[in-house]
Amino acid sequence: MSWKILINDGMEESGVNALKSLGFEVDTQKIPQEELSQKLQDYQGIIVRSATKVRQELMDVCPGLKFIARGGVGMDNIDVSYAKEKGIAVINTPAASSRSVAELAMAHLLSITRGLQDANRQFSGGDQFSALKKKWSTCSELQGKTLLLLGFGRIGSELAKMATAMGMTVIVNDPYVEKAILKIKLGTQEVEIQLQMVSREEGLPLADYVSLHTPYTGSALLGTDEFAIIKKGCFVVNTSRGENIDEDALLNALDSGKVSAAGLDVFQNEPHIKEALIHHPKICTSAHIGASTLEAQERIAGELVDKINEIGRAHV
């Protein structure tokens, strides 16, 4: 295969080597966004993560482009419909990172429940030790609490399994899902549990925890109106898209005590993140690392190679 592929946001070495072994010419040197309109014209394929944007204007000046591959789930940074109109294949890896993102969401749930984000910043020995021990001795547990999932795709359902195992009650809001069926393996048997479906307006006043697992569709899922009806003392976790939460509204809810704490892996305008979010004592932060595990990256690379090979063979 004589196609030239640009891997612009990085890829596991195993995937790079696999593409080369299939005959593709691979370039892993990152090209800045502002230079892509000129330099991408030499390539037949581009592999991106969330940093590089592939919009209509870029496709229009790259007539030789055969495919756009996204290493991950969301494709907000790609004009998918326009690409398909132009006959450009668009692929992603929706299943590869689900477990990793769900585990990070659970880590945030546990961290903000026990106040670990603030404890880690303040922890010291000596005279401070007893005072800090007393400060965080009033935290609660996940068991017996209600978790509202905004989105019940692969990641949401993975988190639902973990939350159920922790003894939480899971309720679901997803306009694209008719029934929220959770499949759990117990030994050699598979058990199905039907979770309660609710509207956002119904679920927010009930939930002790809210976790977001949907792509951004043009408006925030949690804004001023939603924080007005959310259960007082609720905990919020976002590992989906930063735009899904109105950050100013979240800060107001945290400062007023309406929201107890938040765990954020994603932000608006990354990497230019508001200082108030980074340093807030009630916010546990991570740097958009939901899919950044060794296992997920290997799965992503393998899935992309298989799909790109299929596209290449179809053009022979």
Side-chain angles (χ1 to χ4, degrees):
M1 179 59 65
S2 59
W3 282 359
K4 190 175 180 182
I5 299 173
L6 173 64
I7 301 176
N8 214 43
D9 294 335
M11 186 182 193
E12 281 296 299
E13 188 175 353
S14 61
V16 175
N17 292 335
L19 287 171
K20 289 179 179 178
S21 70
L22 291 168
F24 294 101
E25 184 181 347
V26 180
D27 187 352
T28 59
Q29 184 175 358
K30 184 174 179 63
I31 297 176
Q33 184 75 46
E34 61 272 16
E35 297 177 18
L36 279 174
S37 59
Q38 271 191 321
K39 297 183 178 179
L40 189 60
Q41 296 179 33
D42 297 330
Y43 297 86
Q44 286 70 53
I46 181 171
I47 300 174
V48 302
R49 295 296 300 267
S50 57
T52 300
K53 294 177 174 58
V54 188
R55 301 298 184 199
Q56 296 184 17
E57 313 85 66
L58 183 58
M59 297 179 215
D60 285 340
V61 296
C62 298
L65 202 60
K66 304 297 184 186
F67 73 84
I68 303 164
R70 162 74 161 95
V73 183
M75 295 195 287
D76 309 9
N77 54 322
I78 302 169
D79 288 339
V80 178
S81 298
Y82 189 74
K84 291 179 178 178
E85 287 176 15
K86 293 182 70 69
I88 302 171
V90 182
I91 57 177
N92 65 341
T93 57
S97 58
S98 299
R99 178 72 188 192
S100 296
V101 179
E103 285 192 5
L104 182 68
M106 177 53 73
H108 274 291
L109 285 173
L110 289 165
S111 292
I112 59 180
T113 298
R114 298 302 298 267
L116 296 184
Q117 78 288 344
D118 196 31
N120 284 336
R121 292 174 181 136
Q122 296 189 37
F123 185 79
S124 62
D127 296 338
Q128 291 285 332
F129 189 85
S130 296
L132 290 172
K133 182 178 179 180
K134 183 177 181 180
K135 179 179 180 180
W136 296 114
S137 65
T138 56
C139 295
S140 191
E141 300 176 351
L142 293 182
Q143 181 171 274
K145 306 303 188 301
T146 297
L147 168 64
L148 169 62
L149 296 176
L150 298 182
F152 193 68
R154 292 177 176 87
I155 298 170
S157 60
E158 281 290 332
L159 180 59
K161 293 176 187 177
M162 299 177 199
T164 300
M166 295 287 285
M168 302 185 81
T169 298
V170 180
I171 58 178
V172 175
N173 168 250
D174 191 324
Y176 303 103
V177 173
E178 191 173 326
K179 291 182 179 180
I181 305 294
L182 195 61
K183 296 181 179 181
I184 300 176
K185 283 189 176 180
L186 297 175
T188 58
Q189 293 185 326
E190 186 174 76
V191 178
E192 289 191 356
I193 301 173
Q194 185 165 335
L195 304 176
Q196 181 185 357
M197 298 284 295
V198 295
S199 66
R200 255 188 299 169
E201 293 72 22
E202 292 171 332
L204 289 172
L206 299 174
D208 302 294
Y209 294 82
V210 178
S211 190
L212 285 69
H213 302 283
T214 72
Y216 178 61
T217 57
S219 59
L221 292 174
L222 296 182
T224 302
D225 292 343
E226 287 74 25
F227 285 120
I229 63 170
I230 208 167
K231 185 175 182 179
K232 183 174 174 56
C234 183
F235 295 81
V236 174
V237 169
N238 188 14
T239 55
S240 60
R241 286 290 177 268
E243 293 78 8
N244 277 334
I245 293 183
D246 181 325
E247 293 175 344
D248 290 331
L250 172 62
L251 287 168
N252 289 335
L254 288 166
D255 291 340
S256 71
K258 190 67 184 289
V259 172
S260 289
L264 304 177
D265 183 52
V266 290
F267 307 87
Q268 297 175 20
N269 304 316
E270 296 177 11
H272 307 293
I273 302 163
K274 292 179 180 178
E275 290 289 321
L277 294 171
I278 297 173
H279 301 297
H280 200 290
K282 294 182 179 180
I283 298 179
C284 179
T285 57
S286 53
H288 205 150
I289 58 169
S292 300
T293 63
L294 294 175
E295 295 87 349
Q297 294 307 306
E298 287 288 345
R299 290 192 295 265
I300 287 170
E303 191 172 336
L304 283 178
V305 169
D306 290 342
K307 290 182 176 181
I308 291 169
N309 189 37
E310 285 181 18
I311 295 169
R313 290 171 62 185
H315 281 79
V316 173

